[in-house]
Amino acid sequence: MRIAVLQFSHETVSFLKFDTTIEDFTYEGSPARGEALLQASPRGYMGGFVKVAREFEGVELVGIESPLSSRRGSASGFLTEDTYEHFVGKMISELKAQGPFDGVYMSLHGAMAVRGIPKPEAELARRVREVVGPNAFIAATFDPHGNEDEDFLKYANLAFCIKYYPHYDGYHQGERAARTLVRSIRGDYKPTTATRKPPILTPSVLQWTGSYEWMSIVQRALTWEAREPDVYVNFFYGFAFADVPDVGMCFEVTTNGNPELAQYIANDMAMAAWRKREELFSGTKVHLHKDAVAEAKKALAAGKTPIVLADHSDRTGYATQLLEQISNQGLSDTLIGTVADKKAIDELRAKGVKVGDPFDMEIGGLVDVSAGKAVRIKGVVNTVSGGIGRGAAKSQLWVSVKFGNNNVLVISPFISQITDPRAFLPLGINPDDFKVIAIKSRVHFRRGFDDNGYAKTILLTEPDEPFLGTIRVEALPYQHTNVNKFYPHNKTIDYKPEGYNPAAGLAENPSEG
């Protein structure tokens, strides 16, 4: 049994003016093929897929040359069509050269946006299908912040989506993909799918599955999977910051040869979300920067520390509005990680920056209107180190500066979401030396700052103006999306999916009581 493995993943913030290019995916180690690709993400989708696939006797995995993640993460806009064609063209050529294949596994995201290609993941599946033929099985794994509709499953057979936010279950979904793909190739599983898109458009920061409103929908999906053998329920929350035709919430249901069951569950999930549509927007408080820093000062005085200030809306990493408020309001004992400024990092590298050097530079801002203005920081170089993570990220230069009243600013060349206080340790910074930690993160920070009880106060925050990652998505300059077709931007919508009839019910198995 021969299974081709490939990857092409990007969460595209299409409102950013910087296009995503070939160079963003090209660095030491990327693109990767063969075993290097198969081992590229041992704790993610790929790791789970490879582990389970290799538990089956006679399975050969063929790593097709694929780009790894963009060095800029999601801090760039539309992929150029040349970028998409460059990498997809190489994948298709290798599939042709190394085939035939019984199956294909694709590690995707779901929120990629490409100039000139409306639905890039579905288009990739279409091109792969042309090569491998009608009898091969195609499976993929996705991030829940994907914008998907029924088109992907016109060409692919199986899709498995992470359920939690923060994303704890990527490895598990990779395992599921491998097991079900092998079963399908052997004839033991006959994928039958149904897709529904309730017209709900929500910003990412509200989608935390630690809140009851969102977790109740995830739990309903898990209940269906527990109740009915061989059922898989994908809940795509949607990604409002990609201006694409398939934006918004989506449910995909896969059964083993039971189309009626797939349709029933898909309708049930879509209507469950629709009934809760108002609650999905009411469970998370977001403060404006000025108010958040004022609240942090109150919490500091009351001893409710550590405090996390999470700027959820900064999509470039360069935004300085929160840093400005911290400085203007005299917030003390604060670790700010990070403000991105590649130009400043390059200048510091050229000067041979070292610990103890005096520091006086304007940092951040300027790259676009959402980043605000540069903020002048005067202090002393506190640390000089490599970056956080692996590969290209680890080889970066990061510099921290001590300023104000025991405040430290970490400057990175690109945006970085700090998801765990221990991430500062490799930089030579002990987070326990601070009472406030200001980070750029929407929800992922909760895995290291909230789920374990570390932070006593958490304040989500965004600027006065509705920039890029804002909760006020109706203010964004959509060109391909009509927000008035979605709740809550149009509260008069009357939604009911085709074939929805809750009174019809499902036949129960009497032997199960």
Side-chain angles (χ1 to χ4, degrees), residues 254-295:
T254 304
T255 66
N256 189 356
N258 190 335
E260 293 81 11
L261 180 60
Q263 297 288 341
Y264 187 93
I265 297 174
N267 284 338
D268 176 80
M269 292 300 306
M271 286 305 296
W274 186 246
R275 289 193 297 272
K276 290 181 176 292
R277 61 193 181 279
E278 186 175 347
E279 299 169 53
L280 297 178
F281 286 84
S282 62
T284 301
K285 172 69 175 175
V286 177
H287 305 265
L288 298 179
H289 285 334
K290 182 179 179 180
D291 299 331
V293 173
E295 289 296 317

Side-chain angles (χ1 to χ4, degrees), residues 123-267:
E123 175 63 12
L124 176 59
R126 186 190 69 79
R127 296 188 193 185
V128 169
R129 174 61 69 197
E130 284 185 347
V131 175
V132 299
N135 297 323
F137 287 86
I138 300 174
T141 46
F142 288 93
D143 188 288
H145 293 108
N147 293 316
E148 292 298 319
D149 60 15
E150 67 280 357
D151 280 2
F152 181 82
L153 289 173
K154 286 180 181 177
Y155 309 106
N157 306 95
L158 297 159
F160 298 87
C161 180
I162 282 177
K163 285 186 166 57
Y164 300 99
Y165 189 26
H167 302 338
Y168 294 121
D169 55 320
Y171 187 92
H172 176 55
Q173 301 306 333
E175 290 181 309
R176 284 177 145 193
R179 188 174 298 111
T180 315
L181 178 58
V182 171
R183 287 182 61 195
S184 298
I185 294 169
R186 290 180 171 176
D188 181 47
Y189 194 93
K190 297 177 180 177
T192 307
T193 63
T195 301
R196 296 290 185 273
K197 282 187 73 70
I200 300 172
L201 186 65
T202 57
S204 308
V205 71
L206 303 185
Q207 298 167 351
W208 175 41
T209 51
S211 67
Y212 166 76
E213 296 81 11
W214 285 85
M215 190 58 203
S216 67
I217 302 177
V218 172
Q219 186 58 51
R220 195 176 190 92
L222 292 169
T223 299
W224 275 116
E225 291 181 349
R227 171 181 167 179
E228 300 290 337
D230 283 346
V231 163
Y232 301 103
V233 181
N234 291 335
F235 173 23
F236 288 94
Y237 314 156
F239 187 65
F241 309 108
D243 183 13
V244 292
D246 51 354
V247 71
M249 188 177 289
C250 177
F251 293 96
E252 292 175 345
V253 178
T254 304
T255 66
N256 189 356
N258 190 335
E260 293 81 11
L261 180 60
Q263 297 288 341
Y264 187 93
I265 297 174
N267 284 338

Side-chain angles (χ1 to χ4, degrees), residues 42 83 166 206 244 258 288 341 369 387 392 394 404 415 480 495 500 506:
T83 301
L206 303 185
V244 292
N258 190 335
L288 298 179
D341 192 327
V369 65
K394 188 66 176 176
I415 189 172
H480 308 288
Y495 172 71
Y500 178 64
L506 284 175

Side-chain angles (χ1 to χ4, degrees), residues 468-489:
L468 293 183
T470 180
I471 59 172
R472 295 160 281 175
V473 299
E474 68 278 359
L476 296 174
Y478 288 102
Q479 295 180 352
H480 308 288
T481 300
N482 181 357
V483 295
N484 288 321
K485 292 183 177 180
F486 296 90
Y487 180 90
H489 317 292

Side-chain angles (χ1 to χ4, degrees), residues 39-176:
Q39 299 302 323
S41 181
R43 292 178 58 84
Y45 309 109
M46 189 72 75
F49 182 87
V50 171
K51 174 67 167 57
V52 168
R54 285 180 167 168
E55 291 177 357
F56 290 95
E57 186 177 352
V59 172
E60 177 189 0
L61 300 181
V62 181
I64 302 298
E65 180 178 312
S66 302
L68 303 185
S69 58
S70 166
R71 69 170 77 236
R72 288 194 288 175
S74 59
S76 54
F78 276 110
L79 275 74
T80 65
E81 191 168 356
D82 285 348
T83 301
Y84 184 84
E85 296 296 348
H86 172 80
F87 291 114
V88 172
K90 287 195 170 187
M91 292 175 191
I92 297 303
S93 294
E94 278 206 29
L95 284 172
K96 290 177 179 177
Q98 298 200 49
F101 293 103
D102 302 290
V104 179
Y105 164 64
M106 303 190 293
S107 178
L108 306 176
H109 184 284
M112 180 183 287
V114 180
R115 293 194 187 280
I117 301 177
K119 302 177 184 181
E121 286 91 359
E123 175 63 12
L124 176 59
R126 186 190 69 79
R127 296 188 193 185
V128 169
R129 174 61 69 197
E130 284 185 347
V131 175
V132 299
N135 297 323
F137 287 86
I138 300 174
T141 46
F142 288 93
D143 188 288
H145 293 108
N147 293 316
E148 292 298 319
D149 60 15
E150 67 280 357
D151 280 2
F152 181 82
L153 289 173
K154 286 180 181 177
Y155 309 106
N157 306 95
L158 297 159
F160 298 87
C161 180
I162 282 177
K163 285 186 166 57
Y164 300 99
Y165 189 26
H167 302 338
Y168 294 121
D169 55 320
Y171 187 92
H172 176 55
Q173 301 306 333
E175 290 181 309
R176 284 177 145 193

